[in-house]
């Protein structure tokens, strides 16, 4: 019997992590989470390094799964549920030996289970988690198209075995495993496309037969507690589920189109909802200034950016930072995205007259210290927010504007007295999300003349930049994960006197530049220089000023 080593000891022996990092991770990791995943999550190593150590120390080969000729007939030896849960896939059989690609070749329990259930000797090889997930979807789901005859036969069977139930479960579990933020189920004339938005980009992962579609829609409506008989009007639903040991909150939106009802399912992962402010992507200068801003006892702080730029997540992180028994925090949101412990959250309901403005008036009678308003959309809400900030409350909210400075004229357009806006505003943060270069296939390159000029125009120099080659961990995109870019406009006495004297936005911008304010493009270029993202990603979300 081979000696069974522990991963933590191997990594410390190899000098990849320190004893301190190992103990910190063991203490902090979530129940049931594997040590390797917890170390990668905390940034102490990347998946590539982890595989290298396992390969070298255990003598187990690492394979590139998509290049490997997989014997698909072996899939029936290991159940899909077991394979999904343990990130394993059988790939080859020789005599009494079954070769299994595993993400964790030190998962001895899984190996013992496979040995007992299949009756074969298990020979592990290492593959990345994303490659295994991709292969599982390809080989376990690929043939699950259903004809109308099969559907009729199935309708007699148990509900759990009905194809619509199976397909919906697969679609949701794929979404969670691919770390998608949204799942789009698009009906066309003859087929139905299943698309996933991963790191902000939509990609078609699967096509299913149109015959299954009516029962699939019905299943989703049942899950979301919606009206099954109504197919002509838009509907919304919500459900909390546990998928692959991940707590998710699903927001379901159904819209009737000419080819059928289009379904979009928003996935909110409740396990890693609220990050620390230090994990959002603020650079060193901005994070200190931002923390100083939100720790002030009063004032209005606005978060701006388009839909899907992570504004709400940043606000939640800010509330979490401020949350203590000494303060009363009340939020009014539409909808309440996540439930936060120790914070009073109110859901807007216009049908019964509970609007942002009415809710805010009631909140002010609740003796709050800190108020968070989901979004400032109209004059009434803006006025109450501004007056609350002037009467000793800290008010946090969001607005849809392109930059931090353009928020000022937007507030004035809402017919708020300029002197009130100037007195109340403490700071504005503009935020965008960019994709991170995949750490497993990152490579450096010599910047082009155009890229060098871009840096020079912003007063920066650059010798080398980075890009992702595209590997199996990142589905050949070269990107994995996202981070935020920020510009932070802090209102000081100089800025206020310029505004009181009706100076133009151009003069305000020049003053901010003199004070060392970083615009979105600057923050982006600095992050590209540090190897977090690419120039194309920055130009996609931030224009040159």
């Amino acid at each position: 019997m081979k000696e069974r080593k522990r991963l933590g000891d191997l990594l410390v022996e190899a000098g990849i992590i320190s004893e301190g990092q190992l103990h910190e991770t063991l203490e902090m990791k979530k129940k049931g989470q594997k040590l390797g995943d917890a170390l990668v999550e905390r940034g102490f190593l990347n998946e590539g390094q982890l595989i290298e150590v396992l390969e070298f120390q255990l003598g187990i080969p690492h394979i590139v799964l998509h290049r490997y000729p997989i014997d698909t007939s072996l899939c029936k030896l290991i159940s899909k549920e077991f394979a999904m849960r343990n990130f394993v896939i059988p790939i080859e059989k020789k005599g009494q030996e079954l070769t299994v690609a595993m993400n964790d070749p030190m998962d001895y329990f899984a190996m013992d289970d496979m040995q007992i259930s299949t009756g074969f000797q298990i020979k592990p090889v290492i593959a990345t988690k994303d490659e295994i997930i991709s292969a599982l979807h390809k080989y376990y789901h690929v043939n699950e198209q259903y004809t109308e005859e099969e559907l009729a036969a199935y309708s007699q069977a148990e509900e759990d075995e009905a194809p619509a139930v199976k397909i919906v479960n697969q679609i949701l579990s794929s979404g969670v495993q691919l770390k998608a933020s949204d799942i789009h189920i698009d009906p066309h004339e003859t087929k139905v496309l299943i698309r996933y938005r991963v790191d902000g980009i939509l990609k078609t992962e699967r096509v299913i037969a149109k015959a299954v579609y009516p029962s699939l829609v019905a299943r989703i409506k049942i899950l979301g507690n919606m009206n099954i008989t109504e197919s002509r009007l838009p509907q919304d639903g919500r459900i909390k589920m546990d998928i692959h040991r991940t707590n998710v909150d699903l927001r379901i939106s159904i819209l009737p189109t000419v080819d059928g009802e289009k379904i979009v399912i928003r996935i909110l992962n409740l396990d890693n909802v609220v990050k620390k402010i230090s994990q959002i992507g603020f650079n060193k200068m901005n994070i200190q200034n931002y923390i100083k801003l939100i720790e002030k006892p009063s004032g209005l702080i606005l978060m701006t950016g388009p839909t899907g730029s992570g504004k709400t997540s940043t606000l939640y992180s800010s509330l979490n930072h401020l949350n203590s028994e000494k303060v009363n925090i009340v939020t009014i949101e539409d909808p309440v995205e996540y439930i936060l412990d120790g914070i009073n959250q109110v859901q807007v309901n216009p049908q019964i007259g509970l609007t942002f403005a009415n809710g805010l008036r009631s909140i002010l009678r609740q003796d709050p210290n800190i108020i968070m308003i989901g979004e400032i959309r109209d004059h009434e809400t803006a006025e109450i927010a501004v007056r609350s900030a002037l009467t000793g409350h800290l008010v946090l909210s969001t607005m849809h504007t392109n930059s931090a400075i353009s928020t000022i004229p937007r507030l004035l357009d809402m017919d708020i007295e300029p002197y009130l806006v100037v007195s109340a505003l403490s700071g504005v943060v503009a935020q965008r999300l960019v994709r991170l270069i995949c750490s497993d296939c990152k490579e450096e390159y010599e910047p082009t003349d155009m890229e060098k000029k871009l840096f020079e125009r912003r007063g920066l120099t650059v010798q080398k930049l980075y890009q992702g080659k595209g590997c199996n961990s990142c589905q050949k995109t070269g990107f994995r994960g996202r981070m935020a870019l920020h510009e932070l406009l802090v209102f000081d006495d100089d800025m206020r006197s310029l505004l009181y004297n009706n100076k133009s936005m151009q003069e305000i911008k020049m003053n901010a530049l003199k004070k060392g304010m970083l615009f979105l493009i600057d923050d982006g270029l600095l992050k590209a220089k540090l190897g977090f993202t690419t120039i194309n990603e920055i130009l996609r979300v931030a224009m040159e000023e």
Side-chain angles (χ1 to χ4, degrees):
M1 183 72 192
K2 264 169 87 176
E3 184 200 346
R4 294 191 162 182
K5 292 187 170 181
R6 290 191 311 185
L7 177 62
D9 301 335
L10 283 185
L11 290 168
V12 173
E13 272 171 42
I16 301 282
I17 59 168
S18 66
E19 285 277 1
Q21 288 172 327
L22 174 62
H23 290 308
E24 182 190 329
T25 309
L26 285 169
E27 275 173 34
M28 302 294 287
K29 82 182 180 81
K30 297 194 276 277
K31 194 178 174 208
Q33 188 182 27
K34 291 195 169 169
L35 176 63
D37 291 343
L39 287 163
V40 170
E41 195 177 277
R42 298 183 78 74
F44 292 147
L45 80 170
N46 64 42
E47 196 173 12
Q49 287 173 303
L50 185 60
I51 286 172
E52 233 168 78
V53 170
L54 292 172
E55 188 177 19
F56 180 70
Q57 298 278 6
L58 302 175
I60 295 173
H62 165 221
I63 63 158
V64 178
L65 201 52
H66 78 107
R67 291 197 201 126
Y68 203 93
I70 294 176
D71 180 352
T72 51
S73 67
L74 300 175
C75 288
K76 58 180 179 288
L77 292 175
I78 293 172
S79 78
K80 186 179 73 203
E81 286 66 33
F82 182 89
M84 288 277 201
R85 194 169 64 246
N86 295 288
F87 301 109
V88 299
I89 185 165
I91 57 175
E92 190 180 17
K93 178 167 75 86
K94 277 187 187 158
Q96 281 307 296
E97 192 174 67
L98 182 68
T99 304
V100 179
M102 302 182 71
N103 175 240
D104 179 6
M106 299 180 83
D107 188 343
Y108 301 116
F109 294 115
M111 280 160 76
D112 291 345
D113 284 351
M114 287 188 287
Q115 202 146 319
I116 292 162
S117 66
T118 64
F120 291 105
Q121 275 298 114
I122 301 297
K123 178 189 168 194
V125 293
I126 310 171
T128 67
K129 187 184 282 186
D130 292 330
E131 280 185 294
I132 292 173
I133 290 169
S134 179
L136 288 172
H137 291 311
K138 192 170 171 186
Y139 297 114
Y140 275 94
H141 298 343
V142 74
N143 298 320
E144 297 191 359
Q145 296 273 12
Y146 297 95
T147 63
E148 288 183 54
E149 292 77 33
E150 285 176 300
L151 277 171
Y154 261 121
S155 62
Q156 310 301 317
E158 290 295 310
E159 198 219 11
D160 275 355
E161 289 304 309
V165 175
K166 282 177 74 174
I167 294 174
V168 170
N169 290 347
Q170 286 164 13
I171 288 170
L172 296 178
S173 73
S174 298
V176 169
Q177 290 187 317
L178 291 166
K179 297 191 173 72
S181 58
D182 304 85
I183 302 171
H184 290 241
I185 302 174
D186 297 342
H188 291 258
E189 199 174 339
T190 56
K191 60 188 179 190
V192 179
L193 298 185
I194 312 292
R195 299 190 293 164
Y196 294 95
R197 190 180 290 283
V198 179
D199 294 337
I201 307 290
L202 266 175
K203 189 175 167 213
T204 303
E205 284 286 329
R206 203 172 159 197
V207 180
I208 57 174
K210 191 74 185 264
V212 195
Y213 196 61
S215 48
L216 189 137
V217 174
R219 173 65 186 159
I220 289 172
K221 285 181 179 174
I222 290 166
L223 279 178
N225 211 359
M226 292 181 259
N227 182 353
I228 292 191
T229 57
E230 180 54 78
S231 59
R232 295 161 306 166
L233 289 172
Q235 293 194 64
D236 291 310
R238 182 175 183 172
I239 179 176
K240 281 198 169 84
M241 288 177 95
D242 189 319
I243 301 172
H244 293 306
R245 294 186 295 225
T246 305
N247 289 314
V248 291
D249 189 351
L250 305 174
R251 302 280 166 74
I252 303 166
S253 165
I254 296 185
L255 184 72
T257 70
V258 284
D259 285 319
E261 293 172 275
K262 175 179 164 67
I263 302 169
V264 177
I265 302 169
R266 187 96 195 261
I267 304 175
L268 299 170
N269 184 339
L270 299 174
D271 289 345
N272 56 7
V273 167
V274 183
K275 294 179 170 172
K276 293 194 169 84
I277 290 180
S278 59
Q279 295 171 315
I280 294 170
F282 278 108
N283 69 36
K284 285 196 178 85
M285 184 176 91
N286 280 345
I287 194 168
Q288 289 164 354
N289 291 337
Y290 183 67
I291 287 174
K292 252 188 243 162
L293 261 188
I294 62 172
E295 286 179 347
K296 285 184 173 175
S298 66
L300 175 62
I301 298 165
L302 292 173
M303 196 67 55
T304 82
T307 307
S309 56
K311 302 186 295 289
T312 311
S313 302
T314 303
L315 282 186
Y316 277 140
S317 300
S318 311
L319 291 181
N320 220 36
H321 177 84
L322 298 168
N323 192 6
S324 76
E325 60 174 25
K326 294 179 185 152
V327 289
N328 176 20
I329 301 176
V330 189
T331 77
I332 179 155
E333 303 168 63
D334 181 22
V336 171
E337 298 266 352
Y338 312 117
I339 308 298
L340 297 173
D341 271 355
I343 290 174
N344 312 289
Q345 292 168 275
V346 178
Q347 166 81 50
V348 166
N349 188 346
Q351 277 133 343
I352 56 166
L354 179 50
T355 59
F356 274 120
N358 290 343
L360 254 176
R361 286 194 188 91
S362 307
I363 284 171
L364 288 169
R365 295 193 280 274
Q366 290 269 319
D367 181 32
N369 301 89
I370 299 163
I371 301 166
M372 192 266 262
I373 307 163
E375 190 187 336
I376 293 179
R377 295 177 188 163
D378 53 49
H379 162 75
E380 213 178 349
T381 312
E383 181 148 38
I384 303 168
V386 164
R387 290 190 185 277
S388 308
L390 289 172
T391 52
H393 304 93
L394 179 68
V395 181
L396 302 168
S397 189
T398 70
M399 279 180 88
H400 286 269
T401 60
N402 285 334
S403 67
I405 287 171
S406 62
T407 308
I408 304 164
R410 181 72 205 281
L411 270 175
L412 299 176
D413 286 346
M414 285 183 170
D415 275 349
I416 309 294
E417 291 292 340
Y419 71 91
L420 290 178
V421 172
V422 175
S423 313
L425 262 181
S426 304
V428 183
V429 180
Q431 179 169 310
R432 301 285 187 283
L433 292 178
V434 289
R435 293 183 292 168
L436 284 166
I437 297 172
C438 169
S439 55
D440 290 352
C441 62
K442 186 199 277 189
E443 57 180 18
E444 57 179 66
Y445 70 94
E446 175 88 18
T448 63
D449 289 344
M450 196 193 86
E451 288 169 337
K452 283 180 179 164
K453 279 199 187 95
L454 185 60
F455 276 85
E456 280 162 20
R457 283 203 295 271
R458 310 300 299 176
L460 300 164
T461 57
V462 66
Q463 262 70 52
K464 56 179 184 232
L465 286 171
Y466 302 84
Q467 61 191 13
K469 247 195 341 257
C471 65
N472 299 305
S473 304
C474 59
Q475 314 269 318
K476 297 273 177 289
T477 59
F479 297 100
R480 197 161 44 144
R482 288 193 287 180
M483 83 182 306
L485 303 184
H486 299 99
E487 62 184 30
L488 173 59
L489 178 64
V490 178
F491 281 75
D492 56 12
D493 293 340
D494 286 352
M495 186 77 72
R496 288 197 172 95
S497 73
L498 285 172
L499 283 164
Y500 276 131
N501 294 313
N502 269 335
K503 297 293 183 202
S504 71
M505 288 302 130
Q506 196 53 39
E507 285 176 83
I508 286 162
K509 191 189 245 177
M510 294 314 294
N511 180 60
L513 258 176
K514 251 188 276 173
K515 293 270 170 73
M517 174 180 163
L518 287 176
F519 291 94
L520 280 170
I521 186 98
D522 303 319
D523 192 29
L525 291 175
L526 290 170
K527 282 169 178 162
K529 193 175 171 176
L530 290 168
F532 290 120
T533 189
T534 65
I535 296 294
N536 283 349
E537 271 299 288
I538 293 150
L539 295 178
R540 186 172 65 84
V541 299
M543 299 295 291
E544 255 199 284
E545 300 295 325

Coordinates of all heavy atoms in Angstrom, one line a residue, residues 15-56:
G15 N 7.9 24.2 -0.8 CA 8.2 25.7 -0.6 C 7.2 26.6 -1.4 O 7.5 27.7 -1.6
I16 N 6.0 26.0 -1.7 CA 5.0 26.8 -2.5 C 4.3 27.7 -1.5 O 4.0 28.9 -1.8 CB 4.0 25.9 -3.3 CG1 4.8 25.0 -4.2 CG2 3.0 26.7 -4.0 CD1 5.2 25.6 -5.5
I17 N 3.9 27.2 -0.3 CA 3.3 28.0 0.7 C 4.0 27.8 2.0 O 4.8 26.9 2.2 CB 1.8 27.6 0.9 CG1 1.7 26.1 1.3 CG2 1.0 27.9 -0.3 CD1 0.3 25.7 1.8
S18 N 3.8 28.8 2.9 CA 4.4 28.7 4.2 C 3.5 28.0 5.2 O 2.3 27.8 5.0 CB 4.7 30.1 4.8 OG 3.5 30.8 5.0
E19 N 4.1 27.6 6.4 CA 3.3 26.9 7.4 C 2.1 27.9 7.8 O 1.0 27.4 8.1 CB 4.2 26.6 8.7 CG 5.1 25.5 8.5 CD 4.4 24.1 8.8 OE1 3.2 24.1 9.1 OE2 5.1 23.1 8.6
G20 N 2.5 29.2 7.9 CA 1.5 30.2 8.4 C 0.3 30.2 7.4 O -0.9 30.3 7.9
Q21 N 0.6 30.2 6.1 CA -0.5 30.3 5.1 C -1.4 29.0 5.2 O -2.6 29.1 5.0 CB 0.1 30.5 3.7 CG 0.7 31.8 3.5 CD 1.5 31.9 2.2 OE1 2.1 31.0 1.7 NE2 1.4 33.1 1.5
L22 N -0.7 27.9 5.4 CA -1.4 26.6 5.5 C -2.4 26.7 6.7 O -3.6 26.4 6.6 CB -0.5 25.5 5.7 CG -1.1 24.1 5.9 CD1 -2.0 23.7 4.8 CD2 0.0 23.0 6.2
H23 N -1.9 27.1 7.9 CA -2.7 27.2 9.1 C -3.9 28.2 9.0 O -5.0 27.9 9.3 CB -1.9 27.5 10.4 CG -1.0 26.4 10.7 ND1 -1.4 25.1 10.9 CD2 0.4 26.3 10.9 CE1 -0.4 24.3 11.2 NE2 0.7 25.0 11.2
E24 N -3.5 29.3 8.4 CA -4.6 30.4 8.2 C -5.7 29.8 7.3 O -6.9 30.0 7.5 CB -3.9 31.6 7.5 CG -4.9 32.7 7.3 CD -4.3 33.8 6.4 OE1 -3.1 34.1 6.4 OE2 -5.1 34.5 5.7
T25 N -5.3 29.1 6.2 CA -6.3 28.6 5.2 C -7.2 27.5 5.9 O -8.4 27.4 5.7 CB -5.6 28.0 4.0 OG1 -4.8 29.1 3.5 CG2 -6.7 27.7 2.9
L26 N -6.5 26.6 6.7 CA -7.2 25.5 7.3 C -8.3 26.1 8.3 O -9.4 25.5 8.4 CB -6.2 24.6 8.1 CG -5.4 23.7 7.2 CD1 -4.3 23.0 8.0 CD2 -6.3 22.6 6.6
E27 N -7.9 27.2 9.0 CA -8.8 27.8 10.0 C -10.0 28.5 9.3 O -11.1 28.4 9.7 CB -8.1 28.8 10.8 CG -7.4 28.2 12.0 CD -6.5 29.2 12.7 OE1 -6.9 30.4 12.8 OE2 -5.5 28.8 13.2
M28 N -9.7 29.1 8.1 CA -10.7 30.0 7.5 C -11.6 29.2 6.4 O -12.6 29.8 6.1 CB -10.0 31.2 6.8 CG -9.2 32.0 7.6 SD -10.1 32.9 8.9 CE -11.0 34.1 7.9
K29 N -11.1 28.1 6.0 CA -11.9 27.5 4.8 C -13.3 27.0 5.2 O -13.5 26.7 6.4 CB -11.0 26.4 4.2 CG -11.1 25.0 4.9 CD -10.2 24.0 4.2 CE -10.2 22.7 4.8 NZ -11.4 21.9 4.4
K30 N -14.1 27.1 4.2 CA -15.5 26.7 4.4 C -15.7 25.2 4.7 O -14.9 24.4 4.2 CB -16.4 27.1 3.2 CG -16.4 28.6 2.9 CD -17.5 28.9 2.0 CE -17.1 28.7 0.5 NZ -16.4 29.9 0.0
K31 N -16.7 24.8 5.4 CA -16.9 23.4 5.8 C -17.1 22.6 4.5 O -17.9 23.0 3.6 CB -18.2 23.3 6.6 CG -18.3 22.0 7.3 CD -19.5 21.9 8.2 CE -19.7 20.5 8.7 NZ -21.0 20.1 9.0
G32 N -16.4 21.5 4.3 CA -16.5 20.7 3.2 C -15.7 21.1 2.0 O -15.6 20.4 1.0
Q33 N -15.0 22.3 2.1 CA -14.2 22.8 1.0 C -12.9 22.1 1.0 O -12.3 21.9 2.1 CB -14.0 24.3 1.1 CG -13.4 24.9 -0.1 CD -13.1 26.4 0.0 OE1 -13.0 26.9 1.1 NE2 -13.1 27.2 -1.1
K34 N -12.4 21.8 -0.2 CA -11.1 21.1 -0.3 C -9.9 22.1 0.0 O -10.1 23.3 -0.4 CB -10.9 20.4 -1.6 CG -11.8 19.2 -1.8 CD -11.5 18.3 -2.9 CE -12.3 17.1 -2.8 NZ -12.1 16.3 -4.0
L35 N -8.9 21.7 0.6 CA -7.7 22.6 0.9 C -7.2 23.3 -0.4 O -6.9 24.5 -0.4 CB -6.6 21.8 1.6 CG -5.4 22.6 2.0 CD1 -5.7 23.7 2.9 CD2 -4.3 21.7 2.6
G36 N -7.0 22.5 -1.4 CA -6.4 23.0 -2.7 C -7.3 24.2 -3.2 O -6.8 25.3 -3.5
D37 N -8.6 24.0 -3.2 CA -9.5 25.1 -3.6 C -9.5 26.3 -2.7 O -9.5 27.4 -3.2 CB -11.0 24.6 -3.6 CG -11.2 23.5 -4.7 OD1 -10.4 23.4 -5.6 OD2 -12.2 22.8 -4.6
A38 N -9.4 26.1 -1.4 CA -9.3 27.2 -0.5 C -8.0 28.0 -0.7 O -8.0 29.2 -0.6 CB -9.4 26.6 1.0
L39 N -6.9 27.3 -0.9 CA -5.6 28.0 -1.1 C -5.6 28.8 -2.4 O -5.1 29.9 -2.4 CB -4.4 26.9 -1.2 CG -4.0 26.3 0.1 CD1 -3.2 25.0 -0.1 CD2 -3.2 27.3 1.0
V40 N -6.2 28.3 -3.5 CA -6.3 29.0 -4.7 C -7.2 30.2 -4.5 O -6.9 31.3 -5.0 CB -6.9 28.1 -5.9 CG1 -7.2 28.9 -7.1 CG2 -5.9 27.0 -6.2
E41 N -8.3 30.0 -3.8 CA -9.3 31.1 -3.5 C -8.6 32.3 -2.8 O -8.9 33.4 -3.1 CB -10.5 30.6 -2.7 CG -11.7 31.5 -2.7 CD -12.8 30.8 -1.9 OE1 -13.5 30.0 -2.5 OE2 -12.9 31.1 -0.7
R42 N -7.7 31.9 -1.9 CA -7.1 33.0 -1.1 C -5.9 33.6 -1.8 O -5.2 34.5 -1.3 CB -6.6 32.4 0.3 CG -7.8 31.9 1.1 CD -7.4 31.4 2.5 NE -7.1 32.5 3.4 CZ -8.0 33.3 4.0 NH1 -9.3 33.1 3.7 NH2 -7.7 34.3 4.8
G43 N -5.6 33.1 -3.0 CA -4.5 33.6 -3.8 C -3.1 33.2 -3.4 O -2.1 33.8 -3.7
F44 N -3.0 32.1 -2.5 CA -1.6 31.7 -2.1 C -0.9 30.9 -3.2 O 0.3 30.7 -3.2 CB -1.7 30.8 -0.8 CG -2.1 31.7 0.4 CD1 -2.9 31.1 1.4 CD2 -1.8 33.0 0.5 CE1 -3.3 31.8 2.5 CE2 -2.2 33.7 1.6 CZ -2.9 33.2 2.6
L45 N -1.7 30.4 -4.1 CA -1.1 29.7 -5.3 C -2.1 29.6 -6.4 O -3.3 29.8 -6.1 CB -0.6 28.3 -4.9 CG -1.6 27.1 -4.8 CD1 -0.8 25.8 -4.6 CD2 -2.5 27.2 -3.6
N46 N -1.7 29.2 -7.6 CA -2.7 29.1 -8.7 C -2.9 27.6 -9.0 O -2.1 26.8 -8.6 CB -2.5 29.9 -9.9 CG -1.2 29.5 -10.6 OD1 -0.8 28.3 -10.7 ND2 -0.4 30.5 -11.0
E47 N -3.9 27.3 -9.8 CA -4.2 25.9 -10.1 C -3.0 25.2 -10.8 O -2.7 24.0 -10.6 CB -5.5 25.7 -10.9 CG -6.0 24.3 -10.9 CD -7.4 24.2 -11.6 OE1 -7.8 25.1 -12.2 OE2 -8.0 23.1 -11.4
G48 N -2.3 25.9 -11.7 CA -1.2 25.4 -12.4 C -0.1 24.9 -11.4 O 0.5 23.8 -11.6
Q49 N 0.2 25.8 -10.4 CA 1.3 25.4 -9.4 C 0.8 24.2 -8.6 O 1.6 23.3 -8.3 CB 1.5 26.6 -8.4 CG 2.2 27.7 -9.0 CD 2.2 28.9 -8.0 OE1 1.2 29.4 -7.6 NE2 3.4 29.4 -7.7
L50 N -0.5 24.1 -8.3 CA -1.0 23.0 -7.5 C -0.8 21.7 -8.3 O -0.3 20.7 -7.7 CB -2.5 23.2 -7.2 CG -3.2 22.3 -6.3 CD1 -2.6 22.2 -4.9 CD2 -4.7 22.7 -6.2
I51 N -1.1 21.7 -9.6 CA -1.0 20.5 -10.4 C 0.5 20.1 -10.5 O 0.8 18.9 -10.4 CB -1.6 20.7 -11.8 CG1 -3.2 20.7 -11.6 CG2 -1.2 19.7 -12.8 CD1 -3.9 21.1 -12.8
E52 N 1.4 21.1 -10.7 CA 2.8 20.8 -10.8 C 3.3 20.1 -9.6 O 4.1 19.1 -9.7 CB 3.5 22.2 -11.0 CG 4.4 22.3 -12.2 CD 4.9 23.7 -12.4 OE1 5.8 24.1 -11.6 OE2 4.3 24.4 -13.2
V53 N 2.9 20.6 -8.4 CA 3.4 19.9 -7.2 C 2.9 18.5 -7.1 O 3.7 17.6 -6.8 CB 3.0 20.8 -5.9 CG1 3.3 20.0 -4.7 CG2 3.7 22.1 -5.9
L54 N 1.6 18.3 -7.4 CA 1.0 17.0 -7.3 C 1.7 16.0 -8.3 O 2.1 14.9 -7.9 CB -0.5 17.0 -7.6 CG -1.3 17.7 -6.5 CD1 -2.8 17.9 -7.0 CD2 -1.3 17.0 -5.2
E55 N 2.0 16.5 -9.5 CA 2.6 15.7 -10.5 C 4.0 15.3 -10.1 O 4.4 14.1 -10.2 CB 2.6 16.5 -11.8 CG 3.1 15.7 -13.0 CD 3.0 16.6 -14.3 OE1 3.0 17.8 -14.2 OE2 3.0 15.9 -15.4
F56 N 4.7 16.3 -9.6 CA 6.1 16.0 -9.2 C 6.3 15.2 -8.0 O 7.0 14.2 -7.9 CB 6.8 17.4 -9.0 CG 8.3 17.3 -8.7 CD1 9.2 16.9 -9.6 CD2 8.7 17.6 -7.4 CE1 10.6 16.7 -9.3 CE2 10.1 17.5 -7.0 CZ 11.0 17.1 -8.0

